[in-house]
Amino acid sequence: MIRSRSKIKSIVFCTLFLFSFIALLYGSNNPSKNLTYQLPPKIMADIVDAPATPSVNIGPKSKWMLILSRPNLPSIEEVSQPKLRIAGIRINPKTNGPSRQWFYTGIKIKNIFSAEEKTVELPDDARISNLEWSPNGKWIAFTLTKQDKIELWTVEINSAAARKLTNAKINETRATPFVWLSDNKTLICATVPENREKAPQQLLTPSGPVIQQNLGKIAPARTYQDLLKNPHDESLFDYYLTSQLKQITLDGETSPINKPAIYDGFYPSPDGKYLLVETIHRPYSYILPVYRFPLKIGVWDLKGNLIYQVADLPLAEEIPVGFNAVRKGRRSVYWRADAPATLYWAEAQDKGDPNKEAEIRDKIFMLAAPFTVEPEPLISLSLRFNGINWSAGKLALVYEYWWRTRNVKTWIVQPDSRKSKPRILFDRSYEDRYSDPGRPVTKPNAEGFSVLFSHDKGKSLFLIGTGASPEGDRPFVDKLNLKNLKTKRLWRSAAPYYERPVTPIDKKGYQFITRRESKTEPPNYFLRNWKQDELKQLTSFPHPTPQLKNVQKEIIRYERDDGVQLTGTLYLPEDYSKGDGPLPVLMWAYPREFKSAKAAGQMRGSPYQFIRVRWSSPTLWLTQGYAILDGPTMPIIGEGDSQPNDTYVKQLVASAKAAIDELARRGVGDSNRVAIGGHSYGAFMTANLLAHSDLFAAGIARSGAYNRTLTPFGFQAEERTYWQAPEIYYNMSPFMHAPKVNEPILLIHGEADNNSGTFPLQSRRYYHALKGLGATVRLVFLPHESHSYRARESVMHVLWEQNQWLEKYVKNKAEAKVKVKKNKRL
């Protein structure tokens, strides 16, 4: 049919106007500085705005459960509130709490057995956090954050009555703001000191220069953010982190404990007679965060009198480089969960240096009240201490691990018997998911401390495991006989569901609460009795994103050219069939390091898990006609004496090529229209793939680091310093290979990134390099956003940016005019 000239002119005009508008908004070398926050396609925005599924919190006696409402993304106005960035932490000066925090907005109390449900009446716009049960399960306490303060509230479970417990303002800048005593009627709280003066003001005229020095000590430090910079920062640190500890009873009676100080933690003993208190003191550091400042650890009575000085640890500037490097002196100090008042702690025998040869790395000691005798040794470890599960005097499980070998060991010990020798329970590589025996089940005791759950006085334990296998994850419950160390399988998740045990609710372990889901059914909580094969549903949360309910999902397996097995989760639009031809592809990935090719090739995830779509999920682009390969494994392997990063680029490119080839073989992905994307280390991966291959049409890199010489004392899983392995730092830095990037790359970064190593400067300098070399690149900085993005406006704009980029340079690649440099080895 021949159209009229007027219609043709109209179409041409509209088309030219549309392309001019897009060029104005998006295609210019100097995009408008006044571009406001944009929205992605409506279906994507609707999915992001869908109501959040509530969280569930099960009480210590397994009679009541809390159903906690969660809000959607906060506004940019909320995220933009003033914040202090000092000593590696971020503080809201108005509330004396953290500047970034997720809250609950409502509480429902539900009886697990009768299904009785009660709603807790709270103030409008309640912002709830730090929710803790009393040891007997009859109360909950929580903080409620208002515009200018943080309050302490309690709820009596039977009546669902809520009330503010005290007028004292809670200080939540550092330590956990409150803890229950085992008497079930008293809380110890960190409060803002009464009659505190105004915050110190910055002097316009400095009193002198800011000086740092080092007199020959070896003091390496990774690249940290938000550090102290000058004496004024130190005074702000003192002002906002200083707290007054108080006892507050459920009747509202209040009494102070000792004097105001900077508390790093305070932990009551199981019998409620003592407090283990950690206080931070000077001198502070301008190159280290707060958790490496000098620390005093002592035992107090409830009036604040010092009973026993555990340790006074100096500024931790000399911790060696390495993932098993630790502080000298007593560390990991805490109470035995199964004794009235007995301390335990670890002490490094190798001076905390994993590079030193040592038969014994750590020793564990115990000391019971009244703390007047010499500490008693519990066990000597050849690896680094990694925690204890207590049961009773005749049983505890001690864990140790070593990063470089990925070895983890579990020991059976009898704490109250000096003559008994430790027995090895598990000795394995934690990379090997298939051999994971599971974790022992714990339950709170009468004092509120977690102890090993056993129905026969410690003769056997229960284990909950992920159940990784070649067919996918199948969570299980096993019963472990501690005499012969054999296990009996009690239950295992079965298709078409993915069901994960949460906690036992009866004394014999026949009934567990589980979290059950399928590809199309969202996670809900159930009461399962496997002895009687009964299943009772406890919650009925609806599908949050029905728009994607029937999309196609499959965990695919394929092989790298060196024989390593790889996996990824393939999603296809609901109405797609193979006869429709190959689709444009979005791959979203994150590399991980391994010491074993066998472990790297193991199956991950389950084909029956619910398709959870968050704002950061690449699955949003199913709505735009893309095939999605989410989480394709990009293992970087270094077996034996080799380090994974020795061949990082080669392995990375090989993994990416294998994924693209597999999608092409299946006929679902157009190998000429594949985008690669990632966040943080995934952004680093994206930039490297564009520099060292021609596999992708475009890339999206969010909040990444691109020049590893700016993180010279190690990064990610790399322990070697720049000076020990300069060629590794050079070869792995996309910045050094910027001339090789000839595909369009979108860089996005939060301007207030607080993650170690991913300074916003990284994206800015990388952009400058790419622009100077003539690459197709766009840099988007998000005001007030950190390493992850929170504000609705920021999130929606990120989706808009990504969608525009993908539409122009991937889906419609043939029409995009991209300047191509042919020499990838320039």
Side-chain angles (χ1 to χ4, degrees):
M1 182 177 71
I2 299 176
R3 295 176 177 173
S4 67
R5 289 186 177 182
S6 62
K7 286 185 177 180
I8 292 173
K9 287 182 178 180
S10 176
I11 292 170
V12 171
F13 175 79
C14 291
T15 303
L16 290 173
F17 176 80
L18 177 62
F19 277 106
S20 298
F21 180 72
I22 291 174
L24 177 65
L25 273 183
Y26 204 81
S28 170
N29 284 330
N30 295 294
S32 171
K33 295 181 180 179
N34 298 318
L35 180 66
T36 57
Y37 289 110
Q38 300 294 303
L39 290 173
K42 185 176 184 302
I43 188 171
M44 297 175 74
D46 289 345
I47 291 171
V48 173
D49 283 336
T53 301
S55 295
V56 169
N57 186 316
I58 298 165
K61 301 302 180 183
S62 299
K63 178 182 178 181
W64 299 97
M65 63 192 304
L66 305 178
I67 300 175
L68 305 167
S69 302
R70 299 186 295 128
N72 278 338
L73 296 167
S75 68
I76 188 65
E77 180 182 9
E78 181 178 336
V79 172
S80 302
Q81 292 301 303
K83 61 179 69 69
L84 291 173
R85 300 162 62 170
I86 48 177
I89 57 178
R90 294 185 174 182
I91 296 169
N92 182 335
K94 290 184 178 180
T95 64
N96 229 100
S99 66
R100 289 171 61 92
Q101 193 171 15
W102 292 104
F103 298 103
Y104 301 118
T105 55
I107 303 173
K108 289 184 178 179
I109 302 171
K110 185 169 186 174
N111 188 296
I112 291 171
F113 300 99
S114 70
E116 173 193 2
E117 193 170 285
K118 298 172 282 191
T119 299
V120 177
E121 296 295 331
L122 293 166
D124 294 338
D125 301 323
R127 296 192 294 170
I128 301 160
S129 56
N130 301 301
L131 192 150
E132 295 290 340
W133 291 85
S134 64
N136 61 9
K138 295 181 178 181
W139 296 83
I140 56 172
F142 56 88
T143 56
L144 195 147
T145 300
K146 296 192 172 182
Q147 291 297 321
D148 60 347
K149 62 182 175 180
I150 300 173
E151 298 176 343
L152 179 64
W153 284 62
T154 58
V155 174
E156 199 273 327
I157 294 297
N158 284 329
S159 66
R163 64 189 177 95
K164 185 173 70 171
L165 190 60
T166 175
N167 288 324
K169 297 178 181 179
I170 299 299
N171 189 335
E172 199 184 337
T173 52
R174 180 58 185 164
T176 300
F178 67 86
V179 291
W180 284 94
L181 292 188
S182 54
D183 65 2
N184 296 291
K185 63 181 182 181
T186 308
L187 297 101
I188 308 297
C189 308
T191 67
V192 174
E194 295 179 6
N195 303 317
R196 185 176 66 174
E197 297 180 355
K198 291 184 178 181
Q201 299 298 306
Q202 176 85 58
L203 296 176
L204 295 178
T205 303
S207 58
V210 176
I211 298 171
Q212 300 180 62
Q213 72 172 1
N214 184 63
L215 301 178
K217 292 183 178 179
I218 298 175
R222 285 208 168 198
T223 311
Y224 299 108
Q225 310 240 38
D226 300 340
L227 301 177
L228 298 177
K229 298 182 292 297
N230 51 51
H232 177 64
D233 281 354
E234 294 188 51
S235 64
L236 290 174
F237 178 81
D238 287 337
Y239 181 83
Y240 285 103
L241 271 75
T242 297
S243 299
Q244 172 65 63
L245 291 188
K246 290 185 177 181
Q247 282 192 70
I248 303 177
T249 69
L250 292 177
D251 296 330
E253 296 180 2
T254 302
S255 58
I257 302 174
N258 211 306
K259 297 178 180 180
I262 298 177
Y263 294 101
D264 201 47
F266 46 95
Y267 315 100
S269 59
D271 64 6
K273 295 181 179 180
Y274 303 98
L275 284 176
L276 177 65
V277 180
E278 299 171 342
T279 55
I280 295 168
H281 62 86
R282 291 175 181 265
Y284 303 149
S285 172
Y286 288 9
I287 63 170
L288 296 172
V290 60
Y291 58 83
R292 290 176 65 173
F293 285 6
L295 189 70
K296 284 186 179 180
I297 307 173
V299 176
W300 295 2
D301 64 20
L302 295 186
K303 293 182 179 180
N305 299 309
L306 179 64
I307 304 300
Y308 177 69
Q309 185 73 49
V310 181
D312 188 355
L313 304 175
L315 181 65
E317 285 189 320
E318 300 174 43
I319 294 179
V321 173
F323 287 102
N324 284 118
V326 294
R327 222 168 182 161
K328 297 177 184 177
R330 297 176 176 180
R331 69 178 203 283
S332 301
V333 185
Y334 200 58
W335 298 107
R336 268 183 60 171
D338 61 340
T342 297
L343 296 171
Y344 72 90
W345 62 81
E347 288 186 50
Q349 305 301 297
D350 57 3
K351 298 184 178 180
D353 188 350
N355 301 302
K356 289 183 178 292
E357 294 293 331
E359 292 186 8
I360 301 299
R361 294 285 178 184
D362 274 339
K363 286 186 178 181
I364 313 304
F365 296 89
M366 301 183 299
L367 182 62
F371 319 107
T372 55
V373 299
E374 286 297 310
E376 180 182 350
L378 174 63
I379 188 172
S380 296
L381 303 173
S382 61
L383 310 179
R384 194 64 79 205
F385 174 63
N386 199 34
I388 301 179
N389 285 135
W390 302 94
S391 175
K394 294 182 179 180
L395 174 64
L397 300 182
V398 180
Y399 304 91
E400 60 176 332
Y401 81 109
W402 200 246
W403 162 260
R404 291 175 187 171
T405 61
R406 309 305 198 259
N407 183 220
V408 59
K409 294 178 182 178
T410 305
W411 294 91
I412 302 172
V413 298
Q414 296 184 34
D416 293 346
S417 176
R418 293 189 178 184
K419 294 182 179 180
S420 66
K421 294 184 178 180
R423 285 194 298 156
I424 192 70
L425 177 58
F426 303 124
D427 184 354
R428 51 181 294 274
S429 168
Y430 61 76
E431 284 186 340
D432 184 3
R433 301 179 77 247
Y434 292 176
S435 71
D436 187 353
R439 59 176 176 81
V441 176
T442 61
K443 293 281 287 183
N445 59 16
E447 290 74 33
F449 284 69
S450 289
V451 295
L452 293 166
F453 174 70
S454 177
H455 71 98
D456 53 12
K457 298 182 180 180
K459 295 178 182 178
S460 62
L461 300 175
F462 293 90
L463 303 174
I464 292 177
T466 303
S469 72
E471 61 192 65
D473 292 350
R474 293 182 59 189
F476 62 83
V477 177
D478 281 355
K479 187 175 181 180
L480 170 67
N481 185 311
L482 288 174
K483 185 176 182 179
N484 58 25
L485 303 185
K486 292 182 178 180
T487 59
K488 177 183 178 181
R489 178 85 12 117
L490 300 178
W491 175 85
R492 191 182 188 192
S493 178
Y497 292 99
Y498 174 82
E499 189 171 356
R500 177 173 59 83
V502 177
T503 186
I505 65 167
D506 68 325
K507 293 182 179 180
K508 294 187 177 181
Y510 295 146
Q511 296 186 86
F512 267 66
I513 290 178
T514 66
R515 188 174 183 265
R516 188 177 191 240
E517 61 192 271
S518 72
K519 283 195 288 187
T520 58
E521 299 173 36
N524 272 288
Y525 288 80
F526 290 77
L527 181 56
R528 176 176 286 281
N529 186 322
W530 39 69
K531 189 172 185 180
Q532 299 179 5
D533 196 24
E534 294 178 348
L535 187 66
K536 175 185 175 183
Q537 188 163 349
L538 300 176
T539 64
S540 299
F541 302 137
H543 197 299
T545 53
Q547 304 95 323
L548 297 175
K549 183 175 182 179
N550 296 314
V551 301
Q552 303 174 54
K553 173 187 176 182
E554 180 185 1
I555 296 182
I556 61 173
R557 303 213 69 180
Y558 49 99
E559 188 174 290
R560 204 164 72 178
D561 60 9
D562 58 0
V564 174
Q565 295 294 310
L566 305 175
T567 62
T569 305
L570 174 64
Y571 296 92
L572 297 170
E574 175 183 352
D575 57 356
Y576 175 81
S577 62
K578 288 188 177 180
D580 296 335
L583 298 174
V585 179
L586 173 57
M587 289 173 49
W588 201 265
Y590 191 97
R592 298 190 184 278
E593 298 79 5
F594 292 86
K595 289 298 292 180
S596 162
K598 182 179 178 181
Q602 291 179 345
M603 181 77 161
R604 293 176 178 273
S606 166
Y608 306 112
Q609 284 180 285
F610 179 65
I611 302 174
R612 170 65 63 184
V613 182
R614 298 176 174 84
W615 79 260
S616 56
S617 301
T619 44
L620 284 168
W621 273 270
L622 289 166
T623 66
Q624 306 302 305
Y626 291 79
I628 307 299
L629 187 59
D630 191 19
T633 50
M634 302 276 183
I636 310 299
I637 304 162
E639 295 188 301
D641 294 332
S642 298
Q643 293 296 318
N645 286 338
D646 292 348
T647 53
Y648 171 86
V649 170
K650 180 181 178 181
Q651 294 190 65
L652 189 69
V653 172
S655 295
K657 183 179 185 302
I660 293 174
D661 289 347
E662 177 63 15
L663 296 181
R665 185 191 70 78
R666 289 170 172 261
V668 299
D670 182 349
S671 57
N672 292 314
R673 294 188 297 161
V674 182
I676 183 65
H679 189 91
S680 192
Y681 207 55
F684 175 75
M685 167 208 71
T686 297
N688 266 308
L689 285 172
L690 296 190
H692 298 290
S693 78
D694 285 314
L695 295 169
F696 297 97
I700 299 171
R702 296 196 317 234
S703 298
Y706 309 103
N707 184 349
R708 284 305 172 193
T709 67
L710 299 179
T711 56
F713 285 102
F715 59 91
Q716 200 68 9
E718 180 56 64
E719 291 186 293
R720 294 168 292 188
T721 70
Y722 167 76
W723 299 276
Q724 292 172 324
E727 71 287 352
I728 299 298
Y729 280 69
Y730 180 89
N731 292 335
M732 289 182 65
S733 293
F735 182 87
M736 308 304 181
H737 306 281
K740 302 177 185 178
V741 177
N742 58 15
E743 298 87 6
I745 182 168
L746 173 63
L747 304 173
I748 302 175
H749 216 122
E751 70 168 10
D753 194 332
N754 64 338
N755 184 56
S756 175
T758 55
F759 291 106
L761 177 69
Q762 290 270 7
S763 286
R764 195 181 302 279
R765 292 294 181 235
Y766 189 45
Y767 169 76
H768 288 171
L770 292 172
K771 181 179 180 180
L773 293 164
T776 299
V777 58
R778 182 176 173 90
L779 173 62
V780 179
F781 265 95
L782 303 172
H784 303 290
E785 292 293 354
S786 187
H787 190 60
S788 57
Y789 319 141
R790 290 193 70 206
R792 180 181 183 274
E793 291 86 346
S794 300
V795 164
M796 293 297 186
H797 189 85
V798 165
L799 297 179
W800 179 80
E801 291 279 0
Q802 293 181 178
N803 192 58
Q804 294 287 326
W805 201 257
L806 294 170
E807 290 291 298
K808 182 174 183 179
Y809 295 115
V810 181
K811 181 184 283 187
N812 301 305
K813 178 184 176 183
E815 289 78 24
K817 294 181 180 180
V818 182
K819 182 178 179 181
V820 177
K821 292 183 178 180
K822 294 182 179 180
N823 189 356
K824 296 292 288 187
R825 294 173 294 177
L826 182 62

